[in-house]
Every structure is written in structure tokens, then in C-alpha cells.
Amino acid sequence: MRLWSSLLFCALLHLVQCDEQRIREERLLVVTVATKETDGFARFMRSAKHFNYTVKVLGRGEKWTGGDYMSAPGGGQKVRLLKAALDDMKDEDKIILFIDSFDVIFASGPKELLKKFQQARHKVVFSSESLIWPDRHLQDKHPHVREGNRFLGSGAFIGHLANIKEMVSDWTGEDDDSDQLFFTNIFTDPAKRKSINITIDSKCRLFQNLHGALDEVVLKFEDGRVRARNVLYDTLPVAVHGNGPTKLQVNYLGNYIPNTWTFETGCTVCEEGLRSLAALKESEYPLVMVGVFIQQPTPFVAVFFERLLKLQYPKNRLKLFISNQEAHHEPQVHAFLQDHGSLYQDVKLIGPEEQLKEAASRNLGFDMCRKDEDCDYFFSLDIEVVLKNENTLKILIEQNLPVVAPMITRVGRLWSNFWGALSADGYYARSEDYVDIVQGRRVGVWNVPYVSSVYLLRASLLRSDLPDVELFNAHNLDPDMAFCHNVRSKGIFMYVANTHSFGRILSTENYQMNHLHNDLWQIFENPVDWEERYIHENYSHILKDKLMETPCPDVYWFPVFSDVACNHIVEEMENFGEWSGGGNRDERIQGGYENVPTIDIHMNQVNYEKEWQKFLLEYIAPVTEKMFPGYYTRAQFDLAFVVRYKPDEQPALRPHHDASTFTINIALNQVGLDFQGGGCRFLRYDCSITSPRKGWALMHPGRLTHYHEGLPTTAGVRYIAVSFVDP
Ligand SMILES: *[C@@H]1O[C@H](CO)[C@@H](O)[C@H](O)[C@H]1NC(C)=O
Ligand SMILES: *[C@@H]1O[C@H](CO)[C@@H](O)[C@H](O)[C@H]1NC(C)=O
Ligand SMILES: *[C@@H]1O[C@H](CO)[C@@H](O)[C@H](O)[C@H]1NC(C)=O
């Protein structure tokens, strides 16, 4: 039925035309020139393969002499190669599509292309441009068009073999002459235009050149598929060309075209070319040089190294290059290397005494890998990166990409370690999909113009395309921007993956360096990391999983601090060392705040009162409000201090009331291990807690009912952290 009606339709229109509408796809041959298999070329071939185009590649392995392919003019070499290739083709039936490939992607298949070619009703159809180049004096010679672009673009044309042969037969130019000018001269010659039967695709039905047309092109999302659309002419171009300064935009479009991309599982490069590690023995794993860069004082450096140790990868296939430019962090670096350095195949440490600037230390690290022929990958990892995903390195290697970063973000911000787009002057610009990618609404592996902080680089690139030792220097750019600039300018693609949750980045602002355990002070600046480090792993279960214990009436007992938190607080206090708070101790006793004196150091003596208040508010107040319903606390405290009990100093505390609405008493070390005895007895109930647990808090009302005493510590040293809340 459909066949009959279409035949009838043809008969009514024009029989010949319908014959042509049936141009079989086998007649089409795509011809392109690629002297070098760049990432852009590989992408072109992927999109061609996806749509089942047959492609003939000219010039493979030939030296490119057609000028800098990043800038026009040039390109005569392409015409020479085309001419030679056409001479060998005898099948006059062929339709030739000659098209650039470094910066071109197909958005649809041969069928649509041929149909639109046929509808153009000419033997040769060129892509069109809104801007004229290289010779604007030829403007008046271009025929006027009723609607659309007036000028010819040589980046793509399609036509019958015979006509194209005729068109290039006069070529005698040099390789670095302009192909654009050559074809423009033919087109603007009325006689040749007529005899060869050439037109241009003014409304971008077949070809979209992006130069000068960025505002006209949008992405159209439909049924989980994407297509570029020219909104000025309401067309859906079959091939999109990022010519001139629009290379980045075509890279961006490449994330969506060809339309293998879907909203749910979007993955533009994952379908093929993956490198699997699964079948390898550990000894066969690629050798990775892990570059760790410490450029500024940073919190949680010890945690960083704990994570590095847990990275899932055979350590004898890892070499470490650590550049530490901060004397402040030398203890952590040395502790890590002393304890674990020998696990790695090799370790190179550049210390602060070398006084290397950031660019210099990165250049040095990359160069070590470049010169080490065993080095397969360089994994660059800045100290402020919190790599939560232990499989990150394996996942990145399996992507099999030149440069690929795991997406990391800053908690609660839109900051991430990639840029979706660049501004005209090479700085950050937000791409349309940036927020969706950062927030995980679009998931995939994305070609982007900038990555930083953590990324994997294929080491062979350092020996081929990126041999410059000064990779992190360019103009006056910051090292990270210089690196990306240099990579981009070689036509190498950088990707960011948000296919997994990889981790986050720390804030290095407001990092204090004047304490023993500076990380304790990070509760404001890096609250998530502070919690992971210092809050007990079962804290979050106390309410939901009934972990709360009630050892005595209205005395609640629950885990709150991690072991590390307890150790750090004790060490911090011992390091400070001024037990019993100096001169104001008598005032405190006389003022009635402390009914009985203890050997202690107050939080304000170590400048920890703001942080302690925040801790009480975040982690204690919610428990209080749950246990004493109807009571709301602002977690104000007058007194918060660490008490030390020692048999020969102060072993116990006589019965007393606390000057508080309620009291928090957190055990900071372990009975049996660090001390003997200790505990707390509530006299009114004749109830004792005699085996205090490290990191657990006792919470009880202060006045009236909970008259209590500190039981004697009989050996060792016991520490507790006490807070009188809402005094
Ligand atoms: C390409 O060809 C294969 C096999 O001939 C076919 O299964 C597939 O659907 C084609 N793809 C497109 C996009 O036409
Ligand atoms: C160009 O070729 C088409 C057929 O493809 C034909 O209909 C048209 O008349 C030709 N134009 C010229 C100027 O020869
Ligand atoms: C947390 O709770 C689990 C289950 O009760 C227990 O096995 C684990 O030891 C607890 N963690 C700590 C640090 O006490």
C-alpha cells in the first residue's frame, strides 16, 4: 500500500526525480584526509561507523604539509590527495562526500544525506558559510541567495564522481595553498559553476559549519536522543563541522552526537575501545606513576595517605612521585613513606628544600614518567583531593582515553574539577549542561576543555604529542590552565567521568597551623571530612538502631567520638600542657561554676571553644532533644574542659552537683588499656558506671538530681572531656 502510494506520488511529480531518490546507499563513499589519527579523527570514524558510512582515508602516515590544521588557510594537500584518489576511481556511479574529519561529526546516516543531496538538485553541493574567507574581495562575485548563507565552505561537499573529478582537475597548487580559495574561485566563476553544476547548502540541511553560526545551533533532546538543530533555518544538519575557532563547540556537541547518547545511561565513549583489566594477572597491570602534589598547607593529609594506601591497584605496579612543597607536612609524608614506602615499586620524593614552584614540580613529575619507558600512565593527584572511590584508578584505566579525570566536587557547591566550556579568553565558562553533569542528572564520560586536581594521562602521549618538558608553562597562565591549553592545542581530548561517585575536594582556606592536630579545627571549613575523621562510626545509629544505653536513671550513654578524635584531643591537651588552667582557677571556684576543682585544661585555653560549641550543636543537641522531649538547647556552655585523673595527681572527684542544665562527659581513653579504675557514681540512685568506653558520652542532668562523684583512677592516666551545657 505504501509502495503504491509513493510510486503514484512519484509519477505525479517527476519520474526521473524519484529514480534519483532511490540512490542506493552503497553508491556513497566518504573520502577524508587524515595524515594523523588524532582524537578528533577517531571520533569522526566512530560516528561514521555508527551510521554505517563507508570511509576512505587519504594521506595516512603522510606528513601534513597543508599548513597548521588549527588555523586557515592551507589545505591544498587535501585537494592534491583527493585528485590523485579520484583518478584511480572508475565507477562513475559513485557519489563522493569529501569532508574534513578532525573536527567533524555525523549526526545522521547516509540515507538522509543522500535524500537531501538529491533534493538540492545539483551535481555538487558545498557546505555554506555566513562569513567569507580567506578573500573577502570575492564577496560580490558570490551569487545572492534568497535565504541562508551566501558563501562557500570547503570543509564538506558531496557530488557525483565525474563532476568532482572535473572540479579538481585544474588543481596545480602547492600543499599549503588554500583549498577554500581554490573552490571559491571555481564557484564564483559563473561558467564553471554551471558546467560542473554546483550549488551551496545555504540552509544547512546537509552540513553545518559552526564558525559564525554558534547562536543558530541548539541541541534538540527528544526520546532520549539528541540532535543538533539550526534554529535560524529550522534544519537538522547531517554533519556538523567545528571549523575555525569552534573546535571546542564541536567537542561539546560530540558528547551528544552521534545519537547513541541517552538520558539515563549516556556514555559517549564507553561503548567501545574500553580496556579491561579483569583478564590480567596483577603482574601484568599497566605501570602507573602516581604523582602526589602538595602545594599548600592542607587539612587531613594523614587521611589522604591512608586513602592512597587503600587504592585498589597492585602496589608493585605503582611508582610514587611525591612533590611536597610544604615543610609543615613533612612529618606526615615521612611517616607514610617510612611505614609503607617499600610496598611500592619505586618512590621519589621532592621536598620543600628544593623550593620548586608548582609548575616546575609538575613538569618534573611528568618528565620522570616520560623518560621512564616502563611508565604506562601518569596519575596526577593533588593533596586536597578526597578520593573516596578505591577503584578510581582501575575505572579510569578501563576508559582507555588519553586524558580522563574522575569528577570530584566540593560539598554543597557547584565547584568541580572540570569546566564545561571556555570563555573567549580561555577562562572558565559554564556550559549548558554543566549543572546537570555536576549534580548527576546527566551521566557519562564527557569531552571537556579543562580538568584539574586529579586525572590520568596516557604516558605514551608524553613521548609523542606532548614532549615539551614545560608542559605546565604557557603564556602567563596558571599551571593547571597552561597544561590544559597545551593539551588542547595538540588536539588531544580530555574527558571527565561522572559514571561513578569518586570523591570530593577539600577546602584549604582558613587552615590553622599552630596546633598539634590542626585537623580538629576543621569542623567549619570541611565538616564532612571532620565528621568522617572524628565522629564515631556508629553515632548515626544511636537513635535509629537503639544503640542508646541508659545505665542509670536519666543517664544516657552513646558513642560520639572516633578513636582518632579521642587521641587527638588528649595529645593536643598534653602538648599544650598547662593543666589546671593557671590563674583563673580560683575565680572559677569562687564564682561557683565549678563546685569542685579538677586538674584540667579548658577548651578556650587552646582556642577551641567555637569549634567545641559547633560540635555540641551538631552532634549533642539532637540527642538531647530526643532524650528530653520538649527541651531545646542552643548548646551554650560556660565550661568545657578536659580532665586528667592520675593516682598521684588527682585520682578522683568528691561528690558534687554540676553547674549545668545537663552535662556531657566523654571518655577519651580506654579502661584496662590506658588506666585502671575510674568511672562515675550517681549517689541518689546508688548507680555507677565503672567501665567507661572510649569515645562514648555520658549525658545527665547537672543540678538537683544527679549528685555524683568521680571514682578513683587506680593506675595509669584517665582523660575525660566535660561540658556544662546551658548553665
Ligand atoms: C548499520 O548496519 C548494521 C548491519 O548492517 C545494522 O544492524 C544497523 O542498524 C545499521 N545502523 C544504522 C544506524 O543504520
Ligand atoms: C544541475 O543538475 C540538475 C540535476 O542534478 C539539473 O536538473 C539541473 O538542470 C542542472 N543545472 C544546470 C545549471 O545545469
Ligand atoms: C559499630 O557497631 C558494630 C555493630 O554493632 C560493631 O561491630 C562495631 O564494632 C562498632 N564500631 C565501633 C567502632 O565500635
Side-chain angles (χ1 to χ4, degrees), residues 28 189 399 511 571 700:
L28 179 69
D189 176 334
Q399 297 306 313
Y511 177 66
E571 287 163 19
H700 60 81

Side-chain angles (χ1 to χ4, degrees), residues 25 47-53 108-111 225 259:
E25 288 161 40
S47 82
K49 186 171 162 222
H50 172 74
F51 290 111
N52 290 339
Y53 285 97
S108 182
K111 197 165 159 201
R225 298 190 153 209
N259 45 10

Side-chain angles (χ1 to χ4, degrees), residues 293-295 321-327 330 334 347-362 364-365 368:
F293 296 95
I294 308 175
Q295 299 295 149
F321 172 89
I322 301 177
S323 167
N324 173 27
Q325 298 309 310
E326 277 302 326
E330 286 195 283
H334 287 138
V347 175
K348 170 90 179 160
L349 172 64
I350 306 290
E353 67 285 354
E354 310 267 340
Q355 300 198 334
L356 285 190
K357 291 252 172 22
E358 180 181 346
S361 53
R362 293 183 192 274
L364 185 63
M368 297 245 335

Side-chain angles (χ1 to χ4, degrees), residues 612-631:
W612 191 256
Q613 156 109 47
K614 174 84 172 158
F615 158 71
L616 293 177
L617 205 56
E618 293 290 323
Y619 299 100
I620 300 296
V623 182
T624 315
E625 286 164 14
K626 200 82 182 179
M627 293 299 115
F628 301 107
Y631 171 73

Side-chain angles (χ1 to χ4, degrees), residues 465-477:
D465 298 70
L466 301 169
D468 184 2
V469 178
E470 308 238 303
L471 210 47
F472 287 85
N473 306 73
H475 315 296
N476 287 320
L477 296 174

